[in-house]
Amino acid sequence: RFFISRIGIRTLLGHYLELSEQIENPKKNYVGIICRKTSPYDVCLTATRDAQYMCERQYGESPEVEVLGRIDLTMAYVPSHLYYILFELLKNSMRAVVEHHSNSGIIGS
């Protein structure tokens, strides 16, 4: 329960601070921390590149990632939250793949 409250408070505080900043410096397509045109595809590509970089630093290689589906969709969402979720999933998945296939030589980036 404490953790959920902490996330909510942090989100509200971040949103308030961004709204205050945007009074003087507006950001296109943003209302506070919410982007009205978040591209899940773009966020996924960024998270993938970052996870591959970390995987390559740790293991010397990383698996390829293919994003399937509609890449032209946008939605109102908090891009940093989506990035964090995707990055952690990809990072953990890449680690598992590399460790599982470490001696087979079938991983390629």
Side-chain angles (χ1 to χ4, degrees):
R1 190 169 173 106
F2 171 77
F3 185 66
I4 294 172
S5 297
R6 187 170 162 232
I7 291 172
I9 290 169
R10 184 174 177 182
T11 300
L12 287 173
L13 183 59
H15 189 63
Y16 173 78
L17 292 172
E18 279 295 317
L19 284 171
S20 299
E21 176 70 26
Q22 289 171 13
I23 290 171
E24 295 180 18
N25 302 314
K27 290 168 81 175
K28 186 177 180 181
N29 295 319
Y30 274 84
V31 177
I33 61 174
I34 301 167
C35 178
R36 291 179 292 204
K37 294 190 176 186
T38 299
S39 167
Y41 176 72
D42 291 342
V43 174
C44 186
L45 287 181
T46 302
T48 299
R49 281 193 296 266
D50 292 347
Q52 284 178 322
Y53 173 77
M54 289 191 69
C55 190
E56 287 170 8
R57 282 190 56 191
Q58 182 69 30
Y59 298 102
E61 60 186 341
S62 68
E64 293 181 24
V65 176
E66 182 179 0
V67 180
L68 303 174
R70 295 213 21 213
I71 61 173
D72 60 335
L73 297 177
T74 61
M75 63 183 180
Y77 203 75
V78 181
S80 60
H81 290 188
L82 183 59
Y83 169 85
Y84 181 74
I85 293 165
L86 290 171
F87 174 74
E88 289 298 323
L89 286 169
L90 288 163
K91 182 181 71 167
N92 292 337
S93 297
M94 287 180 189
R95 178 192 53 79
V97 168
V98 169
E99 288 177 357
H100 181 74
H101 296 286
S102 62
N103 295 324
S104 68
I106 61 172
I107 298 172
S109 168

